[in-house]
């Protein structure tokens, strides 16, 4: 069981998925690969959050792949808008090129702690 990622609502954070390995367990360098990450309650549930490499649009966040890690930027506005509390983060990476392989690198629980301190 993977420990959940905990994020306080209304904060700026970076989610880091590190130590990515290939099928042999060797470190997999993913610099230049594309990333798509999504948060959903269940696989077929509505999308709660999404990150992409390149240029995010709408409410998407920025994802990057470098070395053996993926970084997902969670800006204040994104986490502030989250009204859900528990869901699952799914992260897939795709190798560059026409026939680039696609790998799901994690499915991890994510918990949003409600904002407790409000502006007066």
């Amino acid at each position: 069981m993977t420990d959940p990622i905990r994020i306080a609502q209304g904060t700026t954070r970076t989610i880091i998925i590190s130590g990515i390995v290939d099928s042999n367990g060797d470190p997999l360098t993913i610099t230049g690969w594309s990333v798509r990450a999504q948060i959903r309650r269940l696989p077929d549930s509505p999308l709660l959050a999404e990150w992409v490499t390149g240029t995010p649009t709408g409410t998407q966040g920025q994802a990057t792949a470098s070395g053996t890690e993926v970084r997902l930027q969670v800006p204040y506005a994104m986490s502030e808008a989250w009204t859900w509390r528990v869901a699952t983060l799914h992260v897939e990476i795709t190798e560059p090129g026409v026939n680039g392989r696609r790998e799901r690198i994690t499915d991890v629980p994510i918990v949003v702690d409600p904002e407790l301190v409000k502006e007066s």
Side-chain angles (χ1 to χ4, degrees), residues 9-89:
Q9 183 182 17
T11 59
T12 298
R13 291 288 179 266
T14 301
I15 298 171
I16 300 172
I17 296 95
S18 60
I20 298 170
V21 297
D22 64 17
S23 59
N24 295 322
D26 297 321
L28 180 62
T29 300
I30 59 168
T31 302
W33 289 43
S34 61
V35 177
R36 183 175 199 101
Q38 298 182 335
I39 296 178
R40 297 176 186 269
R41 291 184 203 275
L42 299 168
D44 293 331
S45 330
L47 187 64
L48 300 172
E50 182 174 38
W51 293 263
V52 295
T53 48
T55 304
T57 61
T59 60
Q60 292 175 326
Q62 183 67 60
T64 56
S66 180
T68 60
E69 70 181 27
V70 165
R71 290 178 175 258
L72 308 175
Q73 301 301 320
V74 182
Y76 169 86
M78 180 184 267
S79 74
E80 177 65 18
W82 290 346
T83 57
W84 51 273
R85 296 295 167 238
V86 179
T88 302
L89 170 65

